[in-house]
């Protein structure tokens, strides 16, 4: 290890218990590097060598708080937060079996890299005391708070397993946790960016009932009932923020399966403060038409797509763009997943009789300017929403349909008056979500002719075009994708389009007329994202039909 022979500066101050501002922490690390004549490394912006990272035992990196940077001749370059403890450095050199060249990085940045590591899940149970998850009982602000560690004095391995699974799911941005039961094993998976990934090695079937019982206890469900579905919820407090979990238990032939929906409201609220149509990935022409529609004085803006296609997020983005202190905005949702400042949000409660239709009737007596209805499911809600749009309100809502033209048939099946419906509509937006290629491991891809043909592309025409893919890295947990964006098609209700709908012309004729007015279809929008190097052909083939 190379250390300056001049008189050493004062030892680094002990880290304070309260949270440190990342900018201050980085400045402190830079000063420390200058004092010791060492190199400072911006950990968040340097490329980790995956082979080297996997070669070193993860518990060693966790214990000594370092990450390997590169293997040099006869020594290893490592990034640490504190180079002042010479004895620990000697121990590390002994354990690595070679000298180390120390570089300095910010503590929180190093810890974040370690937590993102796919190896982290194998030792989470050993480091549980650092993660401190707290179970929140009740809904009030002064609710009783229990640490999971104190539930039993001798904490069982199953509790550690469940806690570690929940913590790791949050670290990896999972939206759902699936506990699936097979004939001889239990498999735990995470849904990340819409795709399922196995979280860890399969677990022996003998532990299945104990794991499910632990989740039921946290959700206050009946642990003795194993024959009917059960739904519950619980909250955890993790590092100062409260996270909601929705639990669904389903009996199968091999035992009970469990799905846990992760609702990190506080994390999402930070994103929603800057939420606008610009961050959704919608193309410029569609954004221009949508912005025109949402700024109309009244009418209906309809978003359609399958479950999990980001419809509610798009409506929130629309509301955030037009929100002002002069307008009263009220929403009715099932459930209210994310809370918006300055917006009155009502959760549907069908057990108590608060349906979309009944709630919407009450909203209209509350003097709103703009109304958002989470979903139109029945004829009564459709009729009230249309009447609201015709009587001076701007109504935002969603409905399940494959594309913008199918929406028309869906409403006709609800027996709504066609003239009123077409008069109320400002626009229909259909959308899907596709995963984005991870920017940290993006590289040119080799595309064979069969994939091009399967994607509806002429191999001769597109053979020389450069496509991209993700190689897989720590940032994306080896998936090659990180985050999602929307691909969409928007039907703006111009007078010619309204006339075609009212005269009940075929869907193909309506689509042809919309194309002539400049409408870009879902498949075209998705292909454009591929040509821009944002996503892959395989990804868009999953969510859009090949023309």
């Amino acid at each position: 290890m190379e250390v300056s022979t001049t008189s050493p500066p004062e030892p680094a101050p002990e880290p304070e218990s309260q949270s440190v501002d990342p900018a201050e922490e980085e400045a402190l690390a830079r000063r420390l590097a200058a004092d010791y004549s060492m190199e400072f490394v911006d950990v968040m912006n340097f490329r980790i060598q995956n082979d080297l990272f996997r070669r070193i035992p993860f518990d060693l990196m966790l214990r000594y708080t370092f990450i390997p940077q590169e293997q040099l001749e006869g020594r290893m370059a490592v990034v640490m937060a504190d180079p002042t403890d010479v004895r620990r450095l000697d121990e590390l050199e002994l354990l690595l079996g070679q000298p180390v060249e120390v570089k300095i990085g910010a503590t929180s940045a190093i810890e974040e890299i370690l937590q993102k590591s796919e190896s982290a899940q194998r030792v989470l149970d050993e480091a549980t005391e650092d993660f401190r998850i707290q179970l929140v009982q009740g809904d009030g602000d002064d609710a009783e708070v229990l640490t999971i560690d104190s539930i039993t004095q001798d904490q069982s391995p199953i509790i550690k397993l469940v806690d570690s699974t929940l913590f790791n799911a949050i670290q990896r941005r999972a939206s759902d946790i699936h506990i699936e039961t097979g004939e001889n094993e239990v498999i735990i998976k995470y849904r990340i960016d819409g795709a399922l990934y196995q979280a860890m090695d399969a677990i022996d079937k003998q532990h299945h009932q104990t794991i499910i019982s632990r989740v039921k206890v946290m959700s206050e469900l009946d642990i003795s009932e194993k024959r009917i579905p059960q739904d519950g919820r619980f909250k955890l407090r993790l590092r100062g923020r409260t996270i909601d979990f929705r639990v669904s238990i389903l009996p199968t032939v091999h035992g009970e399966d469990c799905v846990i929906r992760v609702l990190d409201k506080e994390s999402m609220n930070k994103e929603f403060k800057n939420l606008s149509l610009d961050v959704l990935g919608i193309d410029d022409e569609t954004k221009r038409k949508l912005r025109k529609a949402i700024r109309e004085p009244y009418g209906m803006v309809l978003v359609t797509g399958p479950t999990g296609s980001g419809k509610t997020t798009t409506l929130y983005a629309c509301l955030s763009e037009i929100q002002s202190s002069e307008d009263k905005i009220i929403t009715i949702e099932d459930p209210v997943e994310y809370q918006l400042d300055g917006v009155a949000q009502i959760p549907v409660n069908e057990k108590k009789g608060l349906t979309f239709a009944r709630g919407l009737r009450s909203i209209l007596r509350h003097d709103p300017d703009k109304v958002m209805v989470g979903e139109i499911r029945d004829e009564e809600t459709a009729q009230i929403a249309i009447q609201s749009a015709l009587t001076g309100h701007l109504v935002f809502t969603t409905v399940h349909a494959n594309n913008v033209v199918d929406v028309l048939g869906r409403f006709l099946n609800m027996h709504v008056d066609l003239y009123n419906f077409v008069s109320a509509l400002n626009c229909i937006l259909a959308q899907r979500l596709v995963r984005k290629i991870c920017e940290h491991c993006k590289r040119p891809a080799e595309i064979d002719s069969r994939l091009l043909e399967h994607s509806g592309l002429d191999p001769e025409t597109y053979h020389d075009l450069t496509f991209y893919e993700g190689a897989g890295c720590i940032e994306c947990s080896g998936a090659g994708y990180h985050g999602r964006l929307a691909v969409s098609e928007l039907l703006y209700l111009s007078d010619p389009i309204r006339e075609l709908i009212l005269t009940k012309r075929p869907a193909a004729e309506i689509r042809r007329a919309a194309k002539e007015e400049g409408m870009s279809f879902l498949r075209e929008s998705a292909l454009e994202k591929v040509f821009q190097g944002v996503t892959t052909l395989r990804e868009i083939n999953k969510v859009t039909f090949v023309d």
Side-chain angles (χ1 to χ4, degrees), residues 406-423:
D406 288 351
V407 171
L408 306 174
R410 182 75 194 275
F411 271 83
L412 288 176
N413 285 338
M414 293 184 192
H415 307 291
V416 301
D417 182 83
L418 182 60
Y419 183 82
N420 284 345
F421 175 54
V422 173
S423 301

Side-chain angles (χ1 to χ4, degrees), residues 23-43:
E24 292 179 8
E25 193 178 59
E26 182 178 323
L28 183 66
R30 287 183 182 275
R31 286 199 302 272
L32 194 63
D35 289 342
Y36 279 87
S37 301
M38 292 180 174
E39 181 184 340
F40 172 81
V41 176
D42 183 359
V43 177

Side-chain angles (χ1 to χ4, degrees), residues 141 360 500:
D141 293 333
L360 187 52
L500 287 173

Side-chain angles (χ1 to χ4, degrees), residues 224-497:
S224 64
E225 181 55 74
K226 301 182 178 74
R227 296 163 297 177
I228 60 172
Q230 295 188 68
D231 295 309
R233 59 191 298 175
F234 63 91
K235 294 182 181 181
L236 296 180
R237 187 161 295 136
L238 174 61
R239 290 184 174 175
R241 74 179 193 264
T242 302
I243 300 168
D244 281 0
F245 296 85
R246 304 273 169 83
V247 178
S248 176
I249 308 286
L250 193 67
T252 70
V253 290
H254 296 301
E256 292 176 294
D257 277 14
C258 175
V259 174
I260 305 172
R261 167 66 59 89
V262 182
L263 296 174
D264 192 353
K265 290 185 181 179
E266 294 181 36
S267 173
M268 285 303 296
N269 281 346
K270 292 176 185 175
E271 296 178 25
F272 275 37
K273 285 178 183 176
N274 301 315
L275 184 65
S276 69
L277 294 175
D278 293 323
V279 303
L280 299 181
I282 299 174
D283 64 89
D284 293 339
E285 181 62 19
T286 301
K287 269 191 299 191
R288 185 187 67 78
K289 290 183 177 179
L290 183 56
R291 283 188 168 125
K292 181 180 179 183
I294 66 177
R295 285 180 168 84
E296 298 284 359
Y298 57 86
M300 179 184 286
V301 174
L302 198 55
V303 182
T304 183
T307 301
S309 60
K311 299 187 295 293
T312 304
T313 303
T314 298
L315 290 184
Y316 282 161
C318 292
L319 289 177
S320 68
E321 291 217 350
I322 61 173
Q323 186 178 358
S324 79
S325 58
E326 297 177 355
D327 291 329
K328 175 84 168 182
I329 301 177
I330 307 178
T331 75
I332 179 162
E333 306 167 58
D334 183 23
V336 176
E337 294 190 357
Y338 309 114
Q339 293 161 13
L340 301 176
D341 291 336
V343 176
Q345 295 173 272
I346 303 168
V348 165
N349 189 339
E350 294 191 358
K351 290 182 180 178
K352 301 291 185 182
L354 178 54
T355 60
F356 275 115
R358 185 172 179 182
L360 187 52
R361 288 186 191 278
S362 298
I363 286 172
L364 297 177
R365 293 193 291 269
H366 217 72
D367 189 28
D369 296 289
K370 298 172 177 64
V371 177
M372 182 181 121
V373 183
E375 183 183 348
I376 291 182
R377 299 174 179 169
D378 54 71
E379 181 180 341
E380 186 181 6
T381 309
Q383 296 282 12
I384 302 169
I386 291 168
Q387 287 301 320
S388 306
L390 290 172
T391 54
H393 301 92
L394 188 58
V395 179
F396 297 85
T397 188
T398 73
V399 70
H400 287 288
N402 286 330
N403 55 55
V404 291
V405 179
D406 288 351
V407 171
L408 306 174
R410 182 75 194 275
F411 271 83
L412 288 176
N413 285 338
M414 293 184 192
H415 307 291
V416 301
D417 182 83
L418 182 60
Y419 183 82
N420 284 345
F421 175 54
V422 173
S423 301
L425 266 181
N426 290 349
C427 70
I428 306 172
L429 178 76
Q431 73 175 47
R432 304 288 188 274
L433 292 179
V434 295
R435 292 181 292 173
K436 295 190 293 184
I437 298 171
C438 175
E439 290 295 330
H440 292 82
C441 58
K442 185 175 179 180
R443 66 182 184 188
E446 293 288 336
I447 302 295
D448 60 36
S449 300
R450 284 179 299 175
L451 179 57
L452 288 172
E453 290 174 358
H454 179 66
S455 305
L457 302 176
D458 179 19
E460 293 295 327
T461 306
Y462 294 95
H463 180 72
D464 295 329
L465 184 68
T466 303
F467 294 88
Y468 292 90
E469 66 181 2
C473 65
I474 288 172
E475 287 292 328
C476 60
S477 300
Y481 299 95
H482 192 285
R484 291 188 289 179
L485 54 80
V487 294
S488 55
E489 62 182 17
L490 184 136
L491 179 66
Y492 190 80
L493 270 290
S494 63
D495 289 338
I497 297 292

Side-chain angles (χ1 to χ4, degrees), residues 506-519:
E509 190 174 335
I510 297 173
R511 288 175 68 85
R512 190 160 53 247
K515 180 68 175 176
E516 290 172 359
E517 292 185 2
M519 174 177 162

Side-chain angles (χ1 to χ4, degrees), residues 48-101:
I48 291 175
Q49 294 184 12
N50 290 334
D51 293 340
L52 181 62
F53 198 88
R54 292 191 180 100
R55 203 169 71 218
I56 297 171
F58 183 78
D59 58 343
L60 201 65
M61 291 188 276
L62 198 65
R63 195 187 328 151
Y64 290 91
T65 318
F66 79 94
I67 50 177
Q69 187 188 33
E70 59 179 327
Q71 179 66 58
L72 303 171
E73 189 174 346
R75 68 193 188 283
M76 183 182 295
V78 301
V79 183
M80 305 182 72
D82 180 14
T84 61
D85 193 334
V86 178
R87 190 176 68 178
R88 283 172 64 83
L89 288 175
D90 289 341
E91 289 177 6
L92 182 58
E93 288 184 333
L94 189 65
L95 291 167
L96 290 175
Q98 59 182 312
V100 297
E101 180 180 310

